[in-house]
Each structure stands twice: as structure tokens, then as C-alpha cells.
Amino acid sequence: MADEIHTTRDPDGTTHTTTVIDREPRRGGGMGLGLIFLVAIVVAAFFAFQFLANDKAQSGAVTEAAQKVGDAAQDVGDAAQKAVE
């Protein structure tokens, strides 16, 4: 880094000072975008897993209800069989 100071004098004696500050260009903008992208992926994954967990729970409830209906139908069939005998 190099700083430059330029001073000029007018004929009436007033001075004007200009300072030039030379800095290295900033880098790391990609790092911030990468971090934002990573957070977005983590949030999307969280909601996806929540949806899948709810879907599995609903599928399990439907399967259990179907099994109970099947068991009840079997019981009715058994009772009808006994009534015939």
C-alpha cells in the first residue's frame, strides 16, 4: 500500500492538500455468497426432511387403519362361518 499526499499552493498563499490512499482490492465476496448458499441448502433440507417424516407418518397411519379394517373383516368372516356351522 502506498499513500500519496499532494499539496498545492495557489498564488494567493492558500494550500490544497489531496491524499491518495492505495489499498488492495477486497476479496472474499464469493465466501459470503457461498455461506448464504450453504444456509439456503440447509434450510431446504430441513423442510424436505420434515415433509418426508410427515408423509411417512401418514402412510403408517393409513397402513395401520387398513390392517385394522382387514382384521375386522376377518372377524366378521369367522363369525359368519361359526353361524353357519
Side-chain angles (χ1 to χ4, degrees):
M1 287 191 307
D3 294 346
E4 297 177 21
I5 300 174
H6 300 282
T7 305
T8 57
R9 289 186 192 267
D10 288 339
D12 63 357
T14 59
T15 59
H16 300 282
T17 304
T18 304
T19 305
V20 177
I21 301 173
D22 186 21
R23 293 190 179 149
E24 294 293 323
R26 290 188 172 189
R27 298 198 188 344
M31 185 74 139
L33 288 177
L35 184 61
I36 290 170
F37 185 69
L38 179 64
V39 168
I41 295 233
V42 168
V43 168
F46 173 77
F47 283 114
F49 284 124
Q50 291 296 320
F51 176 74
L52 290 175
N54 287 340
D55 193 37
K56 285 181 183 179
Q58 289 174 350
S59 295
V62 169
T63 302
E64 184 179 345
Q67 183 64 40
K68 287 181 180 179
V69 168
D71 291 345
Q74 183 66 40
D75 291 345
V76 169
D78 292 343
Q81 187 68 24
K82 286 182 184 176
V84 171
E85 295 175 357

